[in-house]
Amino acid sequence: MAKYSVENEVAVIAVDNPPMNALSHHVRKSLLKYLKEAESDEKVTSIVLCGDGRTFPVGADIKEFHKSVSKLGPTILDIVDALEKSKKPTIAAIHGNALGGGLEIALGCHYRIAMTNSKVGLPEVKLGILPGAGGTQRLPRVIGLDNAMQWIAYGGHHSAGIGASLGLIDRVVPQGGNIREHAILFAKAAVGKSLGQRRLSNISVPDAAKVESLMAKHLKEVSKKSRGALAPIVCLQVIKSSALLSYQEGLESERQGMFTLLASSQSRAQIYSFFAERQVSKWSVPGVTNYQNAVPMKVKAVGVVGLGTMGRGIAICCLRAGKITYVLEMNTKAQTAGVKYIRGYIETMRKRKQINDQQSSMMNNALIPVDNYNGLKNVDLVIEAVFESMKIKKEIFKKLEKVCKPSAILASNTSTLNIDEMASVTKRPQKVAGMHFFAPAHIMMLLENIRGEKSSPETIATIMDLGKQMRKTTVLVGNCHGFVGNRMFAYYTAESSFLLEEGAYPKQVDDVLLDYGFAMGRFQVGDLSGTDIGYKIRRERGLTHKQQPAGTPERKRGDRRYSPLDDFLYEKGRYGLKARKGWYKYEGSRTPIPDPEVRKMIDDFRKRHNINPRHISPEETLQRMIFPLVNEGFNVLDEGIAANPWDIDMIFQHGYAWPRHTGGPMYYAYTIGLPQVLKVIEERWKLAGASEPHWKPSKMLTWLVEHHGNPDINDWIKLYKERKSQP
Ligand code: 3H9
């Protein structure tokens, strides 16, 4: 709805649709009604459009997309047109955010004023669509083609100050000012002034002459940064029309572009992702606790054990969240290097204006290096981040048990190991949990929190709350080897090596993944993170080639298929990018170059095992990489390790850079159709047999297909839980 009032001859129309004033159908109706009323009221000389409550409208109502209600008139474009055509000056008074359709209605107004801390932008591309209410045609007319391409194709949020510097915002109201009062004064002053050039559809695009070169520049950038995504490309093509065609023709091109994108599976996947991101914070442990009733503990001071790559990143996350951060590292050299890195990073954030001088000095003061466990006696929560060894971790937990106050939570940053086993060496298993950060911890958005069997509601609520304070996408999962992410990802990695054995080479596999939308292929990622990391984990588990007793078949561990190619690579000193050689070689840059030496290693291996290499199609490559991971995802859901398919998808999007326009592995399976996914898995299972148990069709997947075909992803859990009551 909207509210209407007339103050001092100025009509004020305030959108009132909490929490975000989205432009839902009923809001659009009410807006147009009040606009007409203001237009026809002779006592009204100008019109202010604003938002009630927290914000100016943040765009169309995303819940209405792909539903018939979105098509019900009036459209946002009708409102934009009415505002622009108005004979009385129209002023958008922006506080909070003016995003998407929200900014588009502001662009329909003759003037825009905004609070200094407001954000403006057209983020539709992140939903797999484009600004569909004239934004692609009006924005370039104000801020120029180059800026508009940048804003729309990447969907960033920009400060009111930047908007003002580009001519989008006519006045910035300082903090503490009353936007409504300023807008009314502004509106009064605008009465009588010519509106001709204020109507953006009347003016031309300033840098239209550069359209071809700008197009080439931005197309190149988006194809690198948003690989495989359709929306950024369509956005650019439609913006191009603003430079070459009339406003009306441009609008038609926008309409066509929107039509194409809305019909694509990518927009559905991205809209799903938008809600999934918000859904994961509404965690629940059925029958135990949930986000609404559990009360988190207050955490003022955190301890981080270990100052390697992970520990440093975690410490930065804690400092950014305003925690006093004790960092324990007993090796003096490692401590000096770690602390230097953290302080250097704080300085970089200050220089980049991500934090101000005061925040920087607060963070520096809050960083307290200690070199013995007693130094952690005052912390409320500890995160250990040492090498992935159960023996070492248990020793650390025993020490922490002794020194930490009884109320302190003890968390492990393990990426695979059993949290309950660590908890068993303490007297406070209810206060033990996993907090699995992804490297580099201060950059990656994901935090996979693991509840142990005995973790208390307070402990769970506290680690979830801490993730929120760190502004991470925080997902709660159950305890098992590898938890959700690494447990599923293990099969993606394993299959990639099997593909090499059977006929593919690293670049061939990586190219398929790049085409799918990953920013990097599996082997490129392996080189970037270092092939030694995986080797050490396999060695810890007794799996490496060198640890096997004489006579052990090279391609088996127990009764399971194993590829030793990764071990061979490590043994040749090919540790990845840092060694300038891994799956690829690197000559003076980070560009991976296929290396004949790796090819030979693979060829020799095949010869030794009499493997006749065969051509492996891109389709087979993709299915072999992704479907076992999906199959395991269903096992993870079946066991209750993940509560919902969107929890899994958010783990992969934010922890493994899974392309957002596919929605994540589970949503992708839903897009392909579960029957088709199951069919491939069953065929592969017949072929591979017991030595590759990751192809054994998941019970849950099989049941869903048999009983419901390809049910809505939102219904998977409900249907599966209800199965027992069915005849
Ligand atoms: C568009 O405008 C298309 C046009 O071109 C016209 C085409 C014809 N709709 O994010 P939060 C809900 S496309 C419906 O947690 P924050 C959200 O789900 C749109 N619901 O808050 C959540 O619900 P719940 C372009 C929406 O402070 C609650 O509000 N605009 C919408 O962390 C709180 O949200 C965008 O893409 C919406 N538009 O972040 C902006 N927006 O409590 C989308 C929010 O049940 N919005 N909700 O979980 C955002 O990016 C963030 O909400 C924002 C605030 C940054 C504004």
Side-chain angles (χ1 to χ4, degrees), residues 19-20 54 58-62 101 104 124 131-132 258 274 278 282:
M20 290 292 154
R54 277 171 70 178
V58 301
D61 186 341
I62 304 171
E104 288 175 299
E124 285 87 343
M258 187 64 148
F274 175 85
R278 281 143 188 90
K282 295 172 185 157

Side-chain angles (χ1 to χ4, degrees), residues 622-623 625-631 668 672 677 680-681 695:
L622 196 63
Q623 290 175 343
M625 301 282 291
I626 293 181
F627 287 4
L629 183 150
V630 167
N631 193 42
Y668 176 65
I672 299 283
V677 174
V680 174
I681 291 174
W695 286 110

Side-chain angles (χ1 to χ4, degrees), residues 264-369:
S264 73
S265 61
Q266 293 196 358
S267 72
R268 286 177 192 271
Q270 285 177 243
I271 289 167
Y272 160 83
S273 303
F274 175 85
F275 289 113
E277 239 150 30
R278 281 143 188 90
Q279 223 30 53
V280 293
S281 60
K282 295 172 185 157
W283 57 270
S284 136
V285 185
V288 180
T289 178
N290 62 46
Y291 76 103
Q292 280 165 315
N293 61 27
V295 182
M297 215 175 85
K298 277 219 156 47
V299 174
K300 273 169 85 177
V302 177
V304 178
V305 182
L307 268 188
T309 312
M310 286 313 292
R312 294 170 188 189
I314 295 170
I316 293 170
C317 295
C318 295
L319 290 165
R320 274 199 302 227
K323 307 297 166 198
I324 301 167
T325 305
Y326 293 80
V327 287
L328 169 66
E329 175 58 71
M330 284 185 291
N331 177 317
T332 315
K333 234 170 125 185
Q335 189 183 79
T336 310
V339 169
K340 190 173 162 207
Y341 179 88
I342 297 168
R343 295 205 191 282
Y345 194 81
I346 296 172
E347 181 55 12
T348 307
M349 287 195 289
R350 192 191 67 80
K351 281 191 184 146
R352 287 187 189 153
K353 298 203 181 340
Q354 290 162 344
I355 53 171
N356 59 31
D357 292 354
Q358 196 192 356
Q359 287 165 321
S360 150
S361 74
M362 274 167 63
M363 284 171 75
N364 272 308
N365 292 339
L367 177 66
I368 306 175

Side-chain angles (χ1 to χ4, degrees), residues 524 527 576-577 580-582 584-592:
Q524 280 172 269
D527 277 357
L577 185 60
R580 319 296 313 158
K581 55 181 187 172
Y584 295 95
K585 61 180 176 181
Y586 300 86
E587 292 174 351
S589 79
R590 295 163 76 95
T591 310

